[in-house]
Amino acid sequence: MEYRQLGASGLKVPALSFGAGTFGGQGPLFGAWGATDVREARRLVDICLDAGITMFDTADVYSAGASEKVLGEAVKGRREQVIISTKVGLPTGEGPGDAGSSRSRLITACEDALRRLGTDRIDLFQLHAFDASTPIEEVLSTLDDLVRAGKIRYVGVSNFSGWQAMKSLAIAERYGRPRYVAHQVHYSLVGRDYEWELMPLGLDQGLGAVVWSPLGWGRLTGRIRRGQPLPAGSRLHRTAEYGPPVDDEHLYRVVDVLEEIAQETGKAVPQIAINWLLQRPTVSSVIIGARNEEQLRQNLGAVGWSLTRDQMAKLDAASSKPAPYPYFPYERQEGFARLNPPVDFTPPAAA
């Protein structure tokens, strides 16, 4: 397993990390993802650690906290071997204090997460969404207190816009508060919006991308193909409305190229989709999920090799979309382009 710096921090994380969204299995969304119990979770953690996956990601909203509980039990007795990442901030109840990033909410959410996980500290503590109703100074001051108390080690965010992340980083620098080192983002071959603003921000500010849903919300599993109905067992039947929308023709165009490269390499479609992400700028770790051992072992096959420059270029071309405003002038008009020369994101040719 390759290990990478998490953004501009000193924390080294595995190129692949494990998402515990399938642990617990409660509610219409997470119940459709999976219902892994403690015994099964221990087995998956065993496989991960054997393969060098040491970071495990969860959130307080995953199965109403059950995911954190199952993960805590699964890593019991080997806490020093793992990096625990969790997220807080989305609504966990109907009360006025059951959501957001206020001082009261963050302290309570941290204590609750520590209790469910059965640990004395959280290695990576992330805000699951931007809270426009709470001053950023209050958020960062609270995170500073939690870091100084030893309850959290590093801080990050998830699903922030560019201005939200940049304003937070600027305030952190001004007042000497902890800087966010990770941004957990949606990024895949059928969801490249991350590249327009958040990737340049990550490059400039040292925000490492921790990628969620690298298979496009279950669309890049190799089971969805042009001209065929959605497989009966696909979780998209129950969860498509919760995830990022994808145009069918765009999906099929990407899948066609993935299948072509699968024939060339002998690799599975999901392995190719994940390997493409691992060669993109700012990506510190890609979160893989699995409902069973077979899925996990297949996803582990995404590391230890690299797509060629030509294969990357084919995937780039098939998955690209026109830039939205204000970015399209910089792609199409010479005067704009001269101010911001394009960056070549493709890897060097193999020796």
Side-chain angles (χ1 to χ4, degrees), residues 38 42 52 81 91 93 103 111 113 120 147 191 194 214 219 268 287 307-308 317 320 337:
V38 173
R42 287 197 183 106
Q81 302 177 46
R103 181 173 184 83
E111 295 290 353
D120 61 348
V147 169
Y194 167 73
R219 292 178 174 89
I287 301 172
L307 291 162
T308 66
S320 67

Side-chain angles (χ1 to χ4, degrees), residues 136-153:
I136 295 174
E137 292 88 342
E138 178 180 335
V139 175
L140 294 173
S141 172
T142 307
L143 293 175
D144 190 25
D145 288 344
L146 292 171
V147 169
R148 291 176 184 276
K151 295 181 179 181
I152 59 179
R153 297 277 175 88

Side-chain angles (χ1 to χ4, degrees), residues 3 11-14 16-18 23 41-42 44-50 52-58 70-86 117-124 153-154:
Y3 295 88
L11 180 63
K12 291 187 177 181
V13 296
L16 296 181
S17 50
F18 185 86
F23 290 4
R42 287 197 183 106
L44 295 177
V45 170
D46 288 342
I47 296 170
C48 285
L49 292 178
D50 286 344
I53 292 180
T54 54
M55 187 160 78
F56 298 84
D57 181 75
T58 183
V70 172
L71 177 59
E73 288 293 325
V75 301
K76 186 176 291 185
R78 42 191 173 178
R79 178 65 181 91
E80 299 306 318
Q81 302 177 46
V82 303
I83 298 168
I84 291 180
S85 161
T86 195
L117 288 162
T119 185
D120 61 348
R121 84 278 185 189
I122 295 165
D123 300 295
L124 177 59
R153 297 277 175 88
Y154 293 90

